[in-house]
Amino acid sequence: MFICIGMLAYRLEWFSTFSKSQGEKWLILGIILLFLTFIGKGKFDFILANGGLNWESFVWSFWDCLMCMALNIGLIVYFRESLNITSSFIKVLSQNTFGVYIFHVPVIAIMQFELASINLPIGIKFVIELILDIVLSFTISYLVRCLYYSNRYFNRLLVKKRTVDVDVDVDVELSV
């Protein structure tokens, strides 16, 4: 559902309509929720529920979605207003953003599952997962795009062009 809303937001240019002050408010909300998530480990276990069909899981799902949405809106506005630069590296990243948007959910889920059994403080796990999720999501998107374009290129080479020689005699009389 959020992927569809994200596509709609992109098509309708919702992110370009947020003012700088609105972006700052969303970013502050996201940072507060993120901070409370870190300090809530062990104190507010109902917020950090493991899943299932119960109210704790509902609260965590809502909390997580709100936190991610607030951080995303706030960071998009921040980068649009403060760090709007272009380079060849940024261009490659920009070309892969939709792929990252599609592939990041399974990457995050797999990384969270893998890091859950490691006994490290949650802040360190967050930084490790953040770096790995970004790198893996962009790498997968880049490889899928390369595969797509290479398949299109190779399919053009493999398809034999058929030409048919047609010899047509046409007699035309023009009368004026």
Side-chain angles (χ1 to χ4, degrees), residues 39-141:
I39 66 168
K41 183 77 174 160
K43 298 176 183 142
F44 305 106
D45 285 338
F46 70 92
I47 292 175
L48 301 172
N50 289 328
L53 192 58
N54 51 46
W55 73 272
E56 293 95 348
S57 180
F58 175 77
V59 169
W60 168 242
S61 296
F62 180 77
W63 181 286
D64 186 48
C65 287
L66 180 63
M67 177 179 63
C68 291
M69 186 178 73
L71 287 170
N72 282 325
I73 292 171
L75 288 173
I76 286 171
V77 173
Y78 173 74
F79 283 112
R80 183 190 72 206
E81 297 292 326
S82 303
L83 300 172
N84 197 1
I85 57 171
T86 304
S87 69
S88 58
F89 179 68
I90 298 293
K91 187 175 179 182
V92 170
L93 293 179
S94 176
Q95 292 169 342
N96 288 285
T97 53
F98 185 73
V100 170
Y101 183 69
I102 297 298
F103 298 122
H104 81 281
V105 174
V107 170
I108 289 172
I110 291 168
M111 291 306 301
Q112 284 180 346
F113 180 76
E114 293 298 321
L115 289 174
S117 61
I118 298 174
N119 191 14
L120 289 173
I122 192 168
I124 293 174
K125 282 185 184 182
F126 174 76
V127 171
I128 291 170
E129 183 170 349
L130 177 70
I131 293 168
L132 290 176
D133 289 342
I134 291 170
V135 170
L136 287 174
S137 295
F138 274 101
T139 302
I140 291 169
S141 175

Side-chain angles (χ1 to χ4, degrees), residues 18-51:
F18 283 105
S19 68
K20 187 175 181 179
S21 65
Q22 289 173 324
E24 289 170 352
K25 290 174 187 172
W26 279 105
L27 187 58
I28 290 169
L29 174 64
I31 291 170
I32 289 170
L33 292 173
L34 183 64
F35 180 74
L36 291 175
T37 302
F38 284 144
I39 66 168
K41 183 77 174 160
K43 298 176 183 142
F44 305 106
D45 285 338
F46 70 92
I47 292 175
L48 301 172
N50 289 328

